[in-house]
Amino acid sequence: MIVVLKPQSEQSQVENLINWLKEQNVDVHISEGHFQTVLGLIGDTAKIDDDLVASLEIVETVKRVSEPFKSANRKFHPDDSIIDISGVKIGGGNFAIIAGPCSVESEAQMIEVSTKVKAAGAKLLRGGAFKPRTSPYDFQGLKAEGIELLLEAKKVTGMPIVTEIMNANHLPLFEHVDVIQVGARNMQNFELLKELGKTNKTILLKRGLASTLKEMLMSAEYIMAGGNENVILCERGIRTYETYTRNTLDLSAVPMLRELTHLPIIVDPSHATGLSRLVKPMAMAAAACGADGLMIEVHNNPKAALCDGAQSLTPEQFADVAKRVEAIREVVKAEYDPTF
Ligand code: PEP
Ligand code: MN
């Protein structure tokens, strides 16, 4: 962090600031120019509040030269992280598609969807048991029973399962869940993130509705700071002024995050667009720009879905998307697969 002081700052105030900074466990390198003094802070500056420093009377500007996220930062971990989810690898050239309904509705639905998406190439099964719905009058999910049905489907297909948690008190119910999803609405539920940091489960962290990439990385940092390094990031579209699509898919997040972090990055074109017909082009685009995987909503009968039917693919449509995505992956593999 660099702190530029105002010209002719009073010496006693400058000394007070330097002493205070040293008390924050950083070394202070002082360079005195003809007109201005510049302080270079060396060490772990993550705990220093740059806004507070910038607000001081003698301070002209403050600039961070290293990001406040350490564990997620590629600078300290140059190789891609590869996460192994019960035998399914993701990251570092390993690509995986997560598919399944928005919400778990019945055993027949889960068995049919899971066997069909597996046959089409999906590696993990998704399904919401606890649903974060905008209206309290909408279907809230089958809760514990939903997790049981996901586990039933896992027994049949062998596919690891992904499902969302909304409350840390529910953690015991997730004991056999392979990947715990933190939805967009909870990306900054810091108490939940801290609890997940104490587990050794893979966490799928979805980008908040209006969150910056830095905020998403800081949320990943909450989980990792607790000791759990198994985090997958998911771009799922952000709020903009556009209304034709449910959200605006920020695909530039993929190469940008790739620079900033070693964590695997996947894309959810279903929630990003809200329209089943847009899922295929956006899934292909996500594969083309280097995503490590996709999460796609698939329902055996989208018209009758209890949640997000408009954006859900039929298993047949999913098979077509998976095939196209595979073709795109072949073309771009040399660009993104470090082992290629
Ligand atoms: C979901 O994946 O079911 C979901 C609710 O997504 P998001 O949190 O991205 O809205
Ligand atoms: Mn959904």
Side-chain angles (χ1 to χ4, degrees):
M1 188 189 277
I2 290 168
V3 182
V4 180
L5 302 183
K6 284 187 186 148
Q8 279 113 36
S9 294
E10 214 176 283
Q11 195 53 32
S12 62
Q13 282 184 304
V14 175
E15 274 163 25
N16 282 346
L17 173 60
I18 293 171
N19 290 337
W20 179 79
L21 288 167
K22 285 185 177 161
E23 281 165 22
Q24 312 303 305
N25 285 330
V26 292
D27 287 331
V28 183
H29 178 269
I30 306 160
S31 49
E32 285 188 45
H34 282 304
F35 303 104
Q36 273 179 306
T37 299
V38 175
L39 308 178
L41 311 192
I42 302 148
D44 185 5
T45 58
K47 291 199 182 77
I48 296 181
D49 180 348
D50 33 358
D51 289 333
L52 178 71
V53 177
S55 72
L56 300 174
E57 204 187 317
I58 57 167
V59 173
E60 192 169 281
T61 52
V62 175
K63 190 166 167 43
R64 276 200 181 274
V65 285
S66 65
E67 298 83 0
F69 48 95
K70 298 279 176 243
S71 304
N73 202 319
R74 189 179 279 282
K75 269 190 203 136
F76 310 114
H77 188 303
D79 293 338
D80 289 343
S81 277
I82 299 174
I83 297 184
D84 191 319
I85 308 152
S86 316
V88 175
K89 290 198 175 108
I90 186 157
N94 301 284
F95 186 86
I97 304 184
I98 304 167
C102 180
S103 53
V104 178
E105 296 169 11
S106 70
E107 184 174 353
Q109 172 218 27
M110 291 314 293
I111 303 299
E112 182 181 346
V113 173
S114 60
T115 47
K116 287 185 173 168
V117 296
K118 185 184 179 187
K123 292 283 191 302
L124 297 108
L125 175 68
R126 66 151 283 150
F130 292 91
K131 293 304 305 174
R133 303 303 299 275
T134 301
S135 166
Y137 308 116
D138 285 341
F139 177 56
Q140 304 286 306
L142 294 181
K143 307 184 174 81
E145 190 197 339
I147 295 184
E148 287 306 317
L149 295 179
L150 280 161
L151 291 169
E152 285 295 314
K154 182 182 172 179
K155 258 192 230 148
V156 174
T157 63
M159 267 195 294
I161 55 173
V162 182
T163 195
E164 177 166 351
I165 194 165
M166 298 210 295
N167 186 331
N169 293 335
H170 296 155
L171 257 174
L173 295 172
F174 288 68
E175 190 184 346
H176 301 294
V177 168
D178 303 278
V179 179
I180 301 181
Q181 174 173 320
V182 175
R185 290 152 192 84
N186 272 312
M187 191 203 82
Q188 288 192 314
N189 182 341
F190 301 120
E191 292 306 314
L192 176 62
L193 300 177
K194 282 188 220 166
E195 288 304 316
L196 297 174
K198 295 179 196 160
T199 73
N200 57 4
K201 296 277 182 197
T202 297
I203 310 298
L204 176 62
L205 180 66
K206 300 191 82 175
R207 184 176 184 179
L209 303 175
S211 298
T212 65
L213 298 181
K214 189 187 265 180
E215 285 164 343
M216 173 151 64
L217 290 166
M218 290 310 292
S219 291
E221 197 71 21
Y222 261 94
I223 300 165
M224 299 174 88
N228 184 0
E229 305 256 304
N230 304 314
V231 180
I232 299 171
L233 304 173
C234 180
E235 164 58 40
R236 46 77 74 205
I238 46 174
R239 277 281 165 82
T240 66
Y241 41 79
E242 182 50 63
T243 54
Y244 279 115
T245 49
R246 183 176 179 179
N247 289 289
T248 296
L249 180 55
D250 176 15
L251 273 187
S252 59
V254 177
M256 193 68 246
L257 287 169
R258 176 82 60 223
E259 277 180 33
L260 296 166
T261 182
H262 53 88
L263 297 174
I265 306 146
I266 71 164
V267 171
D268 169 354
S270 307
H271 292 89
T273 62
L275 296 165
S276 59
R277 66 182 184 279
L278 297 194
V279 169
K280 182 173 164 182
M282 292 300 96
M284 292 194 296
C289 71
D292 297 300
L294 293 163
M295 179 149 86
I296 296 179
E297 285 190 343
V298 182
H299 196 283
N300 49 327
N301 183 7
K303 283 193 209 75
L306 295 181
C307 181
D308 286 351
Q311 67 193 36
S312 298
L313 302 183
T314 62
E316 295 70 32
Q317 289 168 329
F318 172 73
D320 174 47
V321 173
K323 196 175 79 196
R324 290 284 179 237
V325 165
E326 189 49 41
I328 301 272
R329 284 277 309 159
E330 272 308 307
V331 175
V332 298
K333 209 149 91 187
E335 183 72 20
Y336 304 117
D337 186 344
T339 61
F340 190 71

